[in-house]
Amino acid sequence: MALSADPPKCLIQGRLQSARILPEMTAPNSPVRRQLLLKLRPEGAPTLDNFVVGSNDEMLARLRTIGGTDQLYLWGEPGCGRSHLLTAIARSGGDRPVVSVSASDVHDDIDVVTGSILIVDDVDRLSPSGQGALFRAFISARQNGVALLLSGPLPPLQLALREDLRTRIGQMLIFEIRGLSDDQKAEALRHYAEQRGLPMDDAVVRYLLLHGRRDLPSLLTTVDRLDEISLAQQRPPTLPLLRELLTETRQSLANTETKGIL
Amino acid sequence: MSDFWSACLSQFERELPAQQFNTWIKALRCEDEEESPRRLRVLAPNRFVLQWVRERYMNKIETLSREFYGEPVDVSLGLCEALKTDPADSENEVAAEAAPVDMRAAKQSTNRLPISSSSNHLGDPSYDKTRLNPDFTFDTLVTGRANDLARAAAQQVAINPGTSYNPLFVYGGVGLGKTHLIHAIGNAVLMNNPKAKVSYIHAEHYVSDVVRAYQQRSFDAFKNHYRNLDLLLIDDIQFFNGKGRTQEEFFYAFNALVEAKKQIIITCDTYPKDIQGLEDRLISRFDWGLTVQIEPPELEMRVAIIKKKAEASRINVSDDVAFLIAKNLRSNVRELEGALNRVLAFARFHGREINVEVAKEALKDVIGASNRQLTLDLIQKTVADYYKIKVSDMYSHKRTRAIARPRQIAMWLTRELTPHSLPEIGEAFGGRDHTTVMHACRTVVDLRSKDGILNNDLHVLTQTLKG
């Protein structure tokens, strides 16, 4: 099937029947008729608006007004949405240039543009030379009118970085990205499923929260999987289907663990 | 002036180099206290001079006085009374209430050095060129035991740049205010003499300047720039480590400036002899002038710093809030400032008054109280230890109350504190069904509302686990 590299916008907006390959196009002899799937991720790119706020309203308000030579440090457990927020800011820097780098890619010097917003994710992964580069970015930031937005998995006090860099991070305005409550997660899941055009009723959401891993990335992955299976098997995303999926996932997890032990 | 003191001064003037005489001796005052037994009191303008004189010139003064009067004389040293009781300076009292922080030196600066404020420099391109931060002044610098000598020395230098001690070498740990101090000197010198050519540069930038000069073959311009300064402030000299060409350039700039009686001020994270990878000829030159240390601030000084910083934002922070912040961030001023900013931002956003509750809430972001990664194993072990049962009982099939209850509690804690699913929890507790976990959770929730002891246990365990 011919696919343009850049699908029309309507495809991205939601679950579209046209994204499926019709059954008669699949191999006629396959015992179970499985729908082949196009791997189109329908959910929109990260923005501040599609971040589920939870109890992070102050941080989000502050992020929306980032400007001047502001210095913000966001931290939180893996899966709390750090990269989502940083990407959102990187995409919507307004009229300012944005320099966005991943810490593991920083080596000698960060090319800081005057007047830009410098974004560095995962500061805990900076190499010694990367730490030097970020340190230099720090000491020239005010002079160059650069705003800094950094993130990491830990509060500054616990970062294992050069002390002169670590304390400078500690001087920034620090926000912990707080995880969502179960109710907020349910809301996030519903919203996410809706974006995919996946009709998911409350019982399914409740079951997922009760029986699945409850960190948001795991939950979203499960919704993705549920959507895929539902499309492939042409079954509605009901409770029984979710149960099958979870059992399957657990078993394959258990298998890999056993293999690991053996 | 008493005859003795004029004689004493002229004796020192003969013996000491003019620079030292002017810095240390000239500003001293002498009072006759009693005739018999004869007692003299020598007054110094600030603590730094006081200490310096005590260490280096006190014997000489005693000897001279004995010779002059022909009898034993009791000479004591003190600070000028005028400086001790100046009611004009009310902020001293605020700080003094919170902490035994010595502000006398600060007062001297306000008497003799103009106060610089950021608004004076707005849009002034020649000021921008100095790379000074207008907010870093002596006025905004809190002084305590940790930095009063350094501050007094810095003020001396600001009053007599190039002639009191050259270079002034300030060292101390990270985030203790070295940069603030030397910016304050730069700002004070500029206020005294707006035409002075002042330049602040971080050692890292100096290195890149050398590299650029090298690439663009523009060493002449580079040399000219540095040698025409009246005051060079160079920060974090330890970054010269192993950079030969930079050190060579700096060596020549250093010599040229000192020879022309231009002031150099250097900061470093350690004292000169201990700097790694620096040429001996540089290190020995750093010892020519005066080396002063900044130490980490003690609790009371940290409290004073917080109050001062809040004051700069025109916000009043009560003592208990300031103490709360100061107790949580011990090692440096920078993180103290970060914590204060977080508290202020939090209160502003939520429209709340700044009190201990608000501060505690806001500091969670800074300190990360509940940040320990909790694992199933850790929860099982903690609960087993708490109830003095074996960890293996957590996944055994025993169902006696003494074992089953802690097990249920551990299940509930895991459910509350980790993202594990019910089946995963059941699996970890001896391959139990997820409905068993659900039952355990319900039981615990039900019991805690009726059983005060259990409720307390849960509280303690949660606290322990969250660290």
Side-chain angles (χ1 to χ4, degrees), chain B residues 380-392:
Chain B
Q380 290 181 335
K381 184 173 184 320
T382 309
V383 176
D385 287 351
Y386 186 81
Y387 288 104
K388 299 190 174 54
I389 60 174
K390 283 183 276 183
V391 178
S392 60

Side-chain angles (χ1 to χ4, degrees), chain A residues 10-254:
Chain A
C10 62
L11 275 180
I12 300 172
Q13 290 307 317
R15 172 194 178 90
L16 285 172
Q17 295 303 317
S18 60
R20 301 174 171 202
I21 299 171
L22 295 173
E24 49 270 28
M25 291 170 70
T26 57
N29 297 331
S30 58
V32 184
R33 281 201 154 186
R34 284 207 166 231
Q35 182 81 50
L36 288 179
L37 290 176
L38 295 179
K39 293 274 185 184
L40 292 178
R41 301 271 297 184
E43 72 280 13
T47 64
L48 290 185
D49 290 325
N50 66 16
F51 182 80
V52 185
V53 185
S55 44
N56 298 302
D57 48 346
E58 184 192 354
M59 175 197 66
L60 219 63
R62 195 65 194 70
L63 270 180
R64 285 184 198 282
T65 57
I66 187 168
T69 52
D70 285 349
Q71 303 197 337
L72 266 67
Y73 177 72
L74 315 181
W75 67 274
E77 288 180 358
C80 68
R82 278 189 278 140
S83 306
H84 179 115
L85 291 170
L86 264 51
T87 315
I89 294 290
R91 291 158 46 91
S92 70
D95 43 3
R96 294 181 75 167
V98 173
V99 179
S100 179
V101 283
S102 178
S104 37
D105 298 338
V106 180
H107 297 297
D108 296 329
D109 257 314
I110 305 174
D111 233 341
V112 187
V113 184
T114 303
S116 63
I117 303 178
L118 173 62
I119 301 178
V120 184
D121 201 356
D122 298 322
V123 289
D124 56 308
R125 295 195 196 154
L126 284 167
S127 64
S129 62
Q131 295 181 36
L134 184 56
F135 175 78
R136 284 190 289 279
F138 253 110
I139 56 179
S140 58
R142 201 180 60 87
Q143 204 77 36
N144 296 336
V146 169
L148 281 172
L149 175 59
L150 309 184
S151 89
L154 295 167
L157 279 170
Q158 294 170 31
L159 286 171
L161 295 173
R162 248 167 64 172
E163 191 67 1
D164 50 8
L165 177 62
R166 193 190 66 70
T167 55
R168 279 178 171 81
I169 297 176
Q171 196 178 19
M172 305 174 92
L173 191 54
I174 304 160
F175 287 101
E176 178 184 4
I177 307 176
R178 297 206 172 78
L180 301 177
S181 70
D182 279 5
D183 286 347
Q184 289 163 340
K185 281 177 191 163
E187 189 205 314
L189 284 179
R190 260 180 236 115
H191 180 72
Y192 183 76
E194 206 173 282
Q195 271 193 323
R196 297 197 63 134
L198 180 72
M200 217 164 72
D201 63 48
D202 284 356
V204 175
V205 174
R206 266 203 309 278
Y207 188 88
L208 182 54
L209 278 171
L210 213 49
H211 293 79
R213 283 188 62 87
R214 285 172 305 158
D215 58 295
L216 207 54
S218 299
L219 289 169
L220 296 182
T221 311
T222 312
V223 174
D224 286 347
R225 282 286 297 145
L226 184 65
D227 191 21
E228 279 166 25
I229 298 182
S230 135
L231 281 170
Q233 301 186 5
Q234 301 197 322
R235 290 170 59 189
T238 53
L239 211 50
L241 190 64
L242 177 62
R243 262 194 216 122
E244 272 173 41
L245 170 63
L246 287 179
T247 321
E248 210 174 274
T249 320
R250 255 197 309 284
Q251 273 165 359
S252 70
L253 260 178

